[in-house]
Amino acid sequence: MPVAFITGVTGQDGSYLSDLLLSKSYEVHGAVRRTSALRRSRIDHLYQDPEIYGKQFFLHYLDLNDPTTLRRILTKIQPDEIYHLAGQSHVGLSFEIPESTCDLTAMGTLRLLEIIRDLKKVPKLFHASSSEVFGKPDRAPQDESTPFRPVTPYGCAKAFATHMVSIYRNAFHMHAGNGIFFNHESPRRGENFVTRKICRAAAEISVGKRTELRMGDLKASRDWGDARDYVRGMWLMLQQDQPDDYVLATGKLHSVEDVVSIAFQTVKLDWREYVRRDERFDRPQEPCNLVGNSSKAQQRLNWQPQSDFHSLISEMTESEINLIKHQPDSSDI
Ligand code: GDP
């Protein structure tokens, strides 16, 4: 049974990756941050299953700024593969808390690399990088050779971590690679990301739970894919003989307004009657023209995005309607 260790296991990607690896008969260990708000809903189905939890799936308390604990856990479980997904991942928030964003996202990755380097059996490493490293790129679409020009604290922290992973791969011959992933969404997306915020609001308005949706820049655009396609890409990257960096993207740019329009269409409402502009949600700096070219992953990993944008947003909106039926409470984000 191959052993995998996942940092950020409670997040959108960590939970889908756990599902995938467990279906492939891995023993999966996840790192969980000890916080006062214990929110693990995305992995509850694994945690609550006595056939899985404690047998094939294990959780460990760990803070990425606690290298002693990290070293102890990795020495004990001796993973074959590490998927490093943890970090403060909200770009807007990184302007509010830049120091802790950099400590966790940039230095946290370096600390992990340092520990891995010393392990007796050096595991393969996947690092979840981000299209935010490109910031305001000088070309579109972006691929693995596009220079990094981050415009947000989060993008800058990710750029540092991404370079460090490449440096360790080359200097210490580690099987370590960066997945430079463009935005990827799903019903398990964090509630303060724009797709989830919109889908939830459309669902709530449709059942009469609220009357309006306040939004930042509707013209902002992203290359949005489906998280389930992207975790498959992570796994494929670590099954290659040679470690490398890969861009995963759909290659299609959509605006926030497109998301709004599909979500409201799903609940059969005209979005113009409910959406209000609110500058509080604008960012001090926005990346622009972030759209990816994933030809390398398509050719070498045989990776293809399988879901399309329209059905993804519809699925997310329908999932919110189901959630409202089961969890009536929610708040504006
Ligand atoms: P990001 O790419 O990691 O920043 O993902 P987000 O889902 O947080 O934001 C995607 C884009 O939506 C950004 O360009 C935001 O500026 C834009 N946006 C517009 N209105 C909103 C809003 O009300 N909330 C959020 N979170 N983003 C918004």
Side-chain angles (χ1 to χ4, degrees):
M1 211 193 248
V3 178
F5 179 71
I6 304 174
T7 72
V9 73
T10 55
Q12 166 186 258
D13 293 2
S15 65
Y16 282 124
L17 181 64
S18 299
D19 293 339
L20 179 77
L21 296 179
L22 290 168
S23 77
K24 293 183 183 296
S25 298
Y26 276 62
E27 179 179 309
V28 177
H29 293 259
V32 184
R33 224 161 7 118
R34 193 190 273 278
T35 57
S36 45
L38 204 60
R39 199 157 174 273
R40 290 188 198 148
S41 54
R42 297 184 185 97
I43 52 168
D44 257 356
H45 59 294
L46 304 175
Y47 186 65
Q48 304 293 351
D49 186 340
E51 290 307 311
I52 293 180
Y53 190 67
K55 294 197 168 116
Q56 212 191 330
F57 183 64
F58 304 84
L59 294 177
H60 305 265
Y61 280 119
L62 174 72
D63 226 304
L64 275 185
N65 55 19
D66 178 353
T68 307
T69 311
L70 180 55
R71 186 185 300 275
R72 189 176 296 134
I73 293 171
L74 292 181
T75 306
K76 186 163 170 241
I77 68 175
Q78 297 190 43
D80 301 292
E81 298 173 4
I82 295 182
Y83 295 87
H84 177 41
L85 317 180
Q88 190 299 99
S89 64
H90 195 262
V91 175
L93 202 57
S94 80
F95 284 98
E96 310 292 322
I97 49 168
E99 290 185 36
S100 60
T101 298
C102 290
D103 189 48
L104 209 63
T105 303
M107 285 305 293
T109 304
L110 177 55
R111 283 191 284 265
L112 178 63
L113 285 164
E114 274 294 273
I115 292 171
I116 292 176
R117 187 183 147 197
D118 288 341
L119 291 176
K120 231 185 256 159
K121 182 183 86 182
V122 178
K124 296 179 183 176
L125 173 70
F126 168 86
H127 169 240
S129 181
S130 159
S131 55
E132 286 285 321
V133 296
F134 297 128
K136 286 201 159 77
D138 59 5
R139 66 195 79 159
Q142 297 85 46
D143 63 20
E144 295 78 6
S145 65
T146 306
F148 293 177
R149 294 171 68 189
V151 296
T152 62
Y154 172 78
C156 189
K158 277 288 179 197
F160 173 94
T162 306
H163 283 310
M164 277 298 178
V165 168
S166 313
I167 289 168
Y168 274 60
R169 175 172 68 227
N170 296 326
F172 304 115
H173 310 294
M174 286 171 43
H175 193 300
N178 294 296
I180 306 176
F181 286 5
F182 283 65
N183 293 42
H184 42 285
E185 320 296 306
S186 76
R188 296 188 196 168
R189 188 54 148 151
E191 289 156 13
N192 51 358
F193 287 86
V194 78
T195 52
R196 180 90 192 269
K197 169 177 166 168
I198 293 167
C199 295
R200 170 173 288 205
E204 289 185 343
I205 291 170
S206 76
V207 298
K209 279 200 75 189
R210 61 196 268 185
T211 53
E212 63 172 23
L213 164 62
R214 304 195 78 85
M215 291 297 305
D217 185 4
L218 290 182
K219 297 289 167 218
S221 56
R222 288 288 185 282
D223 177 332
W224 276 294
D226 185 319
R228 291 153 286 193
D229 284 333
Y230 290 57
V231 299
R232 198 162 30 82
M234 296 177 187
W235 178 77
L236 285 170
M237 279 177 62
L238 291 198
Q239 309 319 304
Q240 306 307 302
D241 291 337
Q242 295 303 320
D244 211 339
D245 299 336
Y246 291 92
V247 162
L248 293 198
T250 69
K252 294 183 189 120
L253 209 52
H254 290 278
S255 66
V256 173
E257 189 177 308
D258 293 337
V259 179
V260 169
S261 155
I262 297 169
F264 279 78
Q265 206 180 306
T266 306
V267 294
K268 302 187 173 49
L269 293 174
D270 179 358
W271 66 268
R272 286 178 189 79
E273 292 176 24
Y274 304 96
V275 176
R276 308 279 169 265
R277 182 86 172 84
D278 189 335
E279 280 160 17
R280 279 183 306 147
F281 296 109
D282 288 351
R283 305 268 168 90
Q285 278 234 76
E286 276 280 359
C288 56
N289 256 335
L290 282 191
V291 57
N293 172 0
S294 59
S295 309
K296 181 174 164 186
Q298 296 189 24
Q299 280 157 21
R300 297 210 198 151
L301 307 178
N302 198 18
W303 179 85
Q304 289 278 356
Q306 281 168 1
S307 151
D308 77 277
F309 177 71
H310 197 289
S311 37
L312 174 65
I313 300 301
S314 293
E315 181 200 353
M316 288 177 67
T317 310
E318 275 152 16
S319 156
E320 292 303 323
I321 294 175
N322 278 331
L323 273 181
I324 292 169
K325 286 186 191 147
H326 297 110
Q327 283 172 358
D329 257 347
S330 83
S331 55
D332 201 358
I333 297 152

